[in-house]
Amino acid sequence: MLDACVVYTPPPDLGLDLVYQDEALIVVNKPEGLLSVPGRGDDRADCMVSRVQQRVPEALTVHRLDMATSGLLVFARGPDMQRALSLAFQDRGVSKRYVAVVHGLVQPDEGVVDLPLIADWPNRPRQMVCHERGKPSQTRFQVLARDAVAGQTRVALEPITGRSHQLRVHMLALGHPIVGDPFYGDADLQRPFARLHLHAAELGMVHPVSGQWVSWACEAPF
């Protein structure tokens, strides 16, 4: 979701960064700053699905990434494949692994964040932890590297559930907001980072036609 007050300036269309394509599905590397689906208003029509459909007209949305998040995004080729792939995501039959850089030196080396989330309605699209009314939300994390000089940690994040802004809010709740996050971390910095350091790096699922496990990887650009 894009805040109505934010001016949308999508990156130029330089062609698809195509990771995989067959008769059932398409996997692309979505750039940071591009909506996954259209927003409200003609000025927010440019998005990842519209760009994919310019090349593959039958492509349909299966899941989304936040505008500020880059990485692997799957599109179905036709409504039958869309139903099959959507069910795989809904039933948690898809493995997802993100890479992020966060503020501070994360301890311990790995763990699970288990905190319920709910929309922060007065401050939409922000989300927040709410133990009374929040939906169950879990994220696994693993430290990949610590940079004591920069005061930052590179982590792998695996969402067990799929709530809006889940990874961003869970890392904030640990005391380690993601670098470049204007909603949850960098809004008050005099020199904010150029982008959200969150990237959908790995994705795996059972192929809806072959029945074989397939997976894709895309290196983080930070």
Side-chain angles (χ1 to χ4, degrees), residues 13-63:
D13 187 354
L14 303 177
L16 296 182
D17 187 351
L18 186 65
V19 177
Y20 178 82
Q21 179 176 351
D22 65 16
E23 73 282 2
L25 56 88
I26 298 164
V27 183
V28 299
N29 177 22
K30 185 188 84 70
E32 177 271 335
L34 183 66
L35 290 167
S36 293
V37 298
R40 293 182 180 178
D42 293 341
D43 60 328
R44 302 181 184 195
D46 185 14
C47 60
M48 195 71 257
V49 67
S50 67
R51 294 186 182 187
V52 172
Q53 288 173 343
Q54 290 175 16
R55 283 80 171 181
V56 185
E58 72 273 18
L60 297 171
T61 300
V62 175
H63 66 124

Side-chain angles (χ1 to χ4, degrees), residues 5 40 74 87 119 132 171 194 205:
C5 298
R40 293 182 180 178
V74 176
L87 282 174
E132 290 75 29
M171 295 314 295
M205 66 178 69

Side-chain angles (χ1 to χ4, degrees), residues 47-194:
C47 60
M48 195 71 257
V49 67
S50 67
R51 294 186 182 187
V52 172
Q53 288 173 343
Q54 290 175 16
R55 283 80 171 181
V56 185
E58 72 273 18
L60 297 171
T61 300
V62 175
H63 66 124
R64 306 179 187 185
L65 294 175
D66 289 344
M67 181 185 74
T69 303
S70 58
L72 296 171
L73 200 57
V74 176
F75 293 92
R77 301 190 71 167
D80 290 343
M81 291 301 101
Q82 184 185 40
R83 283 191 290 271
L85 292 169
S86 296
L87 282 174
F89 276 89
Q90 292 172 16
D91 295 341
R92 301 183 187 178
V94 179
S95 67
K96 294 175 280 186
R97 188 172 186 265
Y98 293 71
V99 171
V101 177
V102 301
H103 291 290
L105 303 180
V106 176
Q107 300 291 343
D109 290 343
E110 59 185 22
V112 176
V113 183
D114 187 356
L115 293 170
L117 301 179
I118 193 171
D120 183 2
W121 287 104
N123 300 295
R124 291 277 286 170
R126 287 176 59 100
Q127 309 290 306
M128 64 181 183
V129 174
C130 179
H131 293 280
E132 290 75 29
R133 294 176 291 115
K135 295 181 179 179
S137 308
Q138 300 87 32
T139 300
R140 294 189 186 94
F141 69 88
Q142 179 184 19
V143 171
L144 301 177
R146 296 184 180 91
D147 186 339
V149 175
Q152 297 174 350
T153 305
R154 181 176 288 264
V155 293
L157 303 174
E158 297 181 20
I160 300 171
T161 54
R163 311 300 178 198
S164 179
H165 289 192
Q166 176 178 310
L167 304 181
R168 299 162 73 171
V169 179
H170 275 174
M171 295 314 295
L172 173 68
L174 283 185
H176 300 285
I178 297 175
V179 170
D181 194 335
F183 283 155
Y184 305 104
D186 288 352
D188 296 328
L189 294 181
Q190 292 183 349
R191 297 179 61 188
F193 291 85

